[in-house]
Amino acid sequence: MKGWAALAAAVAVLLGGCGLAPAETGPGVAGARVVAREKAGERGQDLTVRSPALGRNTPVRVLLPSGWTHGSGPWPVLYLLHGCCGAGHLGWVDEGGAERLTAAMPAIVVVPEGGRVGFYSDWLRGPRWETFHIKELIPLIEAEFGAGAERAVAGLSMGGLGAMGYAARHPGLFRAAASFSGVLDTTGDQAGVRRLVRENGDDPAALWGDPERDRKVWEAHNPAQLAGRLGGMPIYVSCGDGRPGPLDPPGAAGDYEGALLGQATVFAERARAAGARVTTDFYGAGTHTWPYWERALERALPMLRAAIGA
């Protein structure tokens, strides 16, 4: 056993000199652990995390700041949450400009998987995404990369729901939150949420249950219902109106972004009334597409960085 411990320590030193930790580490809080990792670009790592909450492995992209080394920190952290049904967590890197926009930021950027229609929730019957992100991933990032307590969270569409829901349900965990075209009033569009879950191959009742019988569960996952808990927090809310705008290609059609604008307006009004420091960017013409979310992240970053000291 002593010989194995010495070998493991030697491997850790060697890999640490290359900017990488061993491929498999010991368990973090609640047993989540890194079971594989690969270098991704100039400053990224693609982790495969074994999550007891999910009962499977799940991918996480981590972007490390200039000057990061093993043992350094504590570093501020920005968590970026993806939307539903499409490119998954790597959309933020491949299409949303996250790596470029945060290149000069002295903070760790974490881009986790949130499920195709996970809705950043512990399902009544199914995956426990919230437990994974809050109870497993955050402590794991702290243990692996020296992340500190200065955290911000931002997300697009379904990820906007996640960002505001997590901030509201876990007071003090995040210093700031941002939503870009977010789903911010789920009880205002219960049919839409249920349709998305069904169209992506899952049982809508397994998420938050029946909208009437399980009304309290729906309310507990509705950012507009939770806005009163965000008093004092800096938050950023952006959304277009669904008309083709300046970042759309010629001939683009309008889409459902306008419905989300109504939700964003309700949410922002309630958060402001609760004492949150709300910045809104309701920019008019613009569709539910990546060019607007990339621009939104760029516009929100000064507030997010200031909140976490980055």
Side-chain angles (χ1 to χ4, degrees):
M1 182 65 68
K2 290 183 179 179
W4 170 249
L7 177 60
V11 171
V13 170
L14 287 172
L15 290 174
C18 300
L20 291 175
E24 181 163 354
T25 66
V29 172
R33 68 186 190 277
V34 177
V35 296
R37 77 180 73 214
E38 295 183 3
K39 185 173 175 58
E42 290 298 315
R43 61 190 185 95
Q45 291 188 24
D46 278 331
L47 308 182
T48 301
V49 176
R50 179 64 186 177
S51 165
L54 299 176
R56 64 172 174 84
N57 294 344
T58 183
V60 179
R61 170 70 61 89
V62 178
L63 300 173
L64 297 170
S66 175
W68 178 89
T69 59
H70 282 290
S72 63
W75 292 93
V77 192
L78 171 62
Y79 286 84
L80 289 178
L81 309 182
H82 66 83
C84 86
C85 318
H89 72 300
L90 290 182
W92 264 122
V93 178
D94 297 339
E95 301 183 75
E99 188 162 7
R100 174 183 62 83
L101 292 172
T102 63
M105 190 168 81
I108 297 168
V109 179
V110 181
V111 192
E113 183 194 7
R116 190 169 177 86
V117 282
F119 278 96
Y120 297 94
S121 305
D122 284 359
W123 287 40
L124 289 183
R125 300 186 302 278
R128 295 186 293 151
W129 287 107
E130 185 164 3
T131 295
F132 166 61
H133 291 134
I134 302 300
K135 300 296 185 182
E136 295 179 352
L137 183 61
I138 288 177
L140 189 66
I141 295 298
E142 291 173 352
E144 289 282 328
F145 299 103
E150 302 297 315
R151 308 178 196 91
V153 60
L156 68 94
S157 194
M158 181 182 76
L161 173 145
M164 295 306 175
Y166 284 177
R169 286 194 296 276
H170 303 277
L173 191 63
F174 298 100
R175 303 290 190 244
S179 167
F180 315 133
S181 305
V183 181
L184 297 180
D185 189 1
T186 54
T187 56
D189 187 18
Q190 295 169 340
V193 172
R194 290 169 63 83
R195 184 180 65 254
L196 281 175
V197 174
R198 184 183 302 107
E199 289 176 349
N200 283 274
D202 286 300
D203 176 9
L207 175 56
W208 301 322
D210 179 84
E212 295 302 323
R213 186 177 60 252
D214 302 296
R215 178 174 54 86
K216 291 188 180 300
V217 179
W218 279 79
E219 291 177 351
H221 294 91
N222 181 12
Q225 195 78 22
L226 302 174
R229 302 184 184 184
L230 297 172
M233 175 177 283
I235 64 174
Y236 188 98
V237 183
S238 70
C239 198
D241 64 16
R243 295 175 298 148
L247 304 184
D248 290 293
D255 63 17
Y256 52 86
E257 178 86 352
L260 296 175
L261 177 59
Q263 296 186 23
T265 301
V266 169
F267 170 82
E269 290 173 351
R270 293 182 182 179
R272 188 174 285 116
R277 290 175 279 160
V278 182
T279 299
T280 58
D281 182 15
F282 299 151
Y283 44 81
T287 57
H288 200 71
T289 53
W290 275 107
Y292 295 98
W293 303 326
E294 180 176 358
R295 186 181 69 179
L297 176 60
E298 184 171 21
R299 290 177 173 178
L301 271 177
M303 181 275 281
L304 296 169
R305 293 183 61 170
I308 60 176

